[in-house]
Amino acid sequence: MKINIIFPVLNERLRLENGIRGTVDYLQSIGFEEYRITIVDNGSQDETPQIAEALCKEFPRVTYERIEVRGVGAAFRKGVALNDCEIVGYMDIDLSTNIKHLGEAIQIFQQQPEIQYINGSRFAKESDTKGRKWYRKITSQGLLILLKLFLGMKCTDAICGFTFVRREVAEMLVEASSQDNGWFYMIEFLLRAEKRGVNVLDYPVEWQEDYNTTVKIFKTICNYIKQITRLFIEFRIKKHI
């Protein structure tokens, strides 16, 4: 079984090298060699491309792809389109989710063929989340309430930054989902998996807040409300057809 780890990046000159080296070192430490790492750069204007290209030369299993559209959604779709591995997914380059969960995910897919989708969760009972700022806790919990209330989400988290899916399921969900380029795309991706009966494992993780995040909270919240409304209307119409 081969796994493709997608890292969406935007102006990540300070974290890119550490993220890639940390991932490669970890996979080597557990003796797993059937992997590919895909760096998808969605419009960086710093030294990210040069750093990525140097890493590709050093590590044969690391590839770099640049797109001129910003957003995690756009980067993830590109990564899935390029994928040729049995398992594909994405992680945040800051490795906020403990890297040990990557090895655990690999074992789960190997040993439990019925599992189709692993969704990392910061808010499951067994999760251990550290350094979360109070206003981020409020916005995250508010988002979860809206997702559960209006869209019937079953999982305990939607955008942990740790998602892995079997290839055929990922391709099916990309085809079914919208062309939203931002973070909400990953929420929609999960919701459509649940609606289609995909066997999703809601997986508790150890997670550390990254204080250097580039996410624009107010803009992101406005987009979330807009996208939740869009999906609520779509799901309600389909329910009554």
Side-chain angles (χ1 to χ4, degrees):
M1 186 196 75
K2 193 172 182 179
I3 189 169
N4 188 350
I5 306 151
I6 301 168
F7 283 106
V9 297
L10 174 64
N11 297 327
E12 293 287 4
R13 64 181 181 84
L14 297 178
R15 298 183 290 192
L16 179 56
E17 183 171 354
N18 286 339
I20 298 301
R21 287 190 184 280
T23 304
V24 172
D25 288 347
Y26 172 75
L27 290 168
Q28 289 179 342
S29 74
I30 63 172
F32 187 79
E33 298 182 354
E34 295 299 311
Y35 69 89
R36 174 174 296 181
I37 294 174
T38 305
I39 303 168
V40 183
D41 178 1
N42 49 125
S44 292
Q45 296 179 327
D46 61 1
E47 296 84 7
T48 293
Q50 292 78 15
I51 297 170
E53 288 168 0
L55 289 166
C56 291
K57 292 179 181 178
E58 183 176 354
F59 302 113
R61 294 187 180 91
V62 177
T63 60
Y64 171 71
E65 185 75 18
R66 182 179 175 93
I67 60 176
E68 298 303 329
V69 180
R70 293 196 173 190
V72 171
F76 179 74
R77 283 197 302 274
K78 184 65 175 180
V80 171
L82 295 171
N83 175 60
D84 62 357
C85 300
E86 292 93 331
I87 306 298
V88 61
Y90 89 103
M91 294 172 59
D92 291 335
I93 196 62
D94 57 24
L95 302 183
S96 290
T97 303
N98 193 313
I99 192 66
K100 73 177 183 180
H101 298 306
L102 178 57
E104 294 167 356
I106 291 170
Q107 285 190 336
I108 289 169
F109 281 120
Q110 288 175 329
Q111 299 172 4
Q112 301 182 51
E114 72 278 10
I115 299 297
Q116 298 173 291
Y117 189 131
I118 293 178
N119 176 65
S121 173
R122 299 162 294 180
F123 306 122
K125 290 182 180 179
E126 300 86 357
S127 300
D128 182 12
T129 300
K130 297 177 181 178
R132 192 72 169 160
K133 295 180 180 179
W134 66 269
Y135 59 86
R136 283 187 171 273
K137 288 182 180 179
I138 293 174
T139 54
S140 294
Q141 292 300 325
L143 173 62
L144 286 175
I145 290 171
L146 292 176
L147 292 172
K148 289 181 177 296
L149 181 63
F150 292 104
L151 299 176
M153 191 180 80
K154 300 175 183 177
C155 288
T156 57
D157 198 355
I159 45 173
C160 170
F162 187 86
T163 293
F164 288 92
V165 191
R166 296 193 186 273
R167 177 181 179 180
E168 64 277 8
V169 174
E171 292 172 349
M172 177 265 289
L173 293 174
V174 166
E175 184 176 352
S177 299
S178 70
Q179 294 296 302
D180 181 73
N181 292 329
W183 275 104
F184 193 85
Y185 182 84
M186 301 312 305
I187 300 176
E188 179 180 350
F189 191 82
L190 172 61
L191 288 167
R192 291 192 185 277
E194 291 185 341
K195 296 293 183 183
R196 288 173 176 249
V198 173
N199 191 346
V200 180
L201 177 62
D202 195 49
Y203 198 72
V205 298
E206 293 180 12
W207 190 89
Q208 175 68 51
E209 173 78 36
D210 175 27
Y211 293 106
N212 294 314
T213 179
T214 57
V215 176
K216 297 179 180 178
I217 295 178
F218 181 75
K219 183 179 180 180
T220 300
I221 290 174
C222 290
N223 181 58
Y224 284 172
I225 293 173
K226 177 182 176 181
Q227 300 298 342
I228 288 172
T229 302
R230 172 180 63 82
L231 284 183
F232 175 76
I233 294 172
E234 177 186 337
F235 291 165
R236 188 173 183 181
I237 289 174
K238 287 183 177 179
K239 184 177 180 180
H240 290 88
I241 290 179

